[in-house]
Amino acid sequence: MGSLFLIRHSATDASAAGRSLGQGSDPPLSNAGVALAEQLAAAVAAELAELPYDELRLVASTALRCRQTAARIGSALDRPDAAMEVEPGLLEIDYGQWEGLTPEECSLRDPAIRAAWEQDPYLTRCPGGESGAEVAARAFAVLAPIEEWLASERARCAIVVAHNHVNRLRLCALMGWPMADYRRRVVQDPGGYSIVTFGAGMPVLRRLNSSAGAPLA
């Protein structure tokens, strides 16, 4: 079975402060985020050393924080076939008027909409931004062909560096969980990675939000 590494980018100052970081700005990794990305790269390299694969793809969102994270993974792998593919469809949710706000500030600004969004972020749109369903429509159009590529050949791996909402939505869909629950069912920490394998049957979840510092055996 082919293996998908679904990774959330490493830390930024905004993520460390708990502020909504979508498409309204494009900050780099923080100093702590750079160090975490190096740990992540080592963890992914260790995981890949245990997997049989001949072909490898490295895919990232166009956001700088994702490209910086993916670049460190690519350097750690030292494979000429791991040239980075950049996909705008993998961008984080557009928070619209909630960009840069904390959850508490969002609730104060738009109490009714925020309550509805907390209950069902899949169908509820951020004010002036996107719903989870809209994110899924564009992101799944990128991820599904990658997963088909993985399923068609055992000795393949794909590393995808994307965002909090993108990854949680895809994992929820692959596991067959209610999409309205994607924020409740799945956690994605900065620098965390999940591994899903694809073959003839159902996708198999091998890791979920593993720590970048200590890959599981």
Side-chain angles (χ1 to χ4, degrees):
M1 293 187 289
S3 298
L4 170 66
F5 285 69
L6 195 56
I7 300 171
R8 183 182 175 188
H9 63 80
S10 192
T12 64
D13 288 334
S15 60
R19 295 193 172 275
S20 300
L21 176 59
Q23 301 178 24
S25 60
D26 192 19
L29 299 179
S30 63
N31 290 337
V34 170
L36 180 60
E38 298 289 350
Q39 289 183 311
L40 168 63
V44 171
E47 295 274 16
L48 283 171
E50 302 300 318
L51 292 174
Y53 70 97
D54 297 323
E55 297 178 77
L56 177 68
R57 293 174 65 182
L58 179 61
V59 186
S61 155
T62 52
L64 178 59
R65 54 196 184 274
C66 291
R67 291 184 284 114
Q68 288 180 325
T69 303
R72 280 161 175 80
I73 295 171
S75 295
L77 299 179
D78 193 27
R79 283 180 60 110
D81 60 343
M84 192 189 309
E85 304 171 39
V86 180
E87 290 284 355
L90 295 177
L91 277 169
E92 181 59 298
I93 190 171
D94 183 352
Y95 280 109
Q97 295 164 13
W98 288 348
E99 179 76 24
L101 302 183
T102 65
E104 295 76 17
E105 289 168 342
C106 293
S107 294
L108 287 172
R109 185 187 186 283
D110 300 294
I113 298 174
R114 185 69 184 193
W117 188 81
E118 292 285 353
Q119 184 63 32
D120 186 354
Y122 188 69
L123 294 181
T124 305
R125 183 180 290 112
C126 300
E130 290 180 301
S131 66
E134 291 169 317
V135 177
R138 57 175 169 77
F140 291 7
V142 175
L143 294 170
I146 295 172
E147 294 158 6
E148 292 171 4
W149 177 79
L150 291 169
S152 66
E153 175 60 50
R154 175 182 174 85
R156 286 175 172 172
C157 286
I159 300 167
V160 176
V161 182
H163 300 268
N164 189 17
H165 286 267
V166 170
N167 293 0
R168 292 159 95 178
L169 284 159
R170 193 55 182 164
L171 289 167
C172 204
L174 290 173
M175 295 302 104
W177 296 328
M179 296 305 290
D181 293 339
Y182 80 87
R183 293 182 68 247
R184 290 183 284 269
R185 293 264 186 171
V186 184
V187 173
Q188 288 282 273
D189 295 321
Y193 65 93
S194 301
I195 304 177
V196 185
T197 54
F198 295 87
M202 294 186 297
V204 178
L205 183 62
R206 302 287 185 181
R207 303 277 191 275
L208 178 61
N209 196 40
S210 288
S211 167
L216 302 177

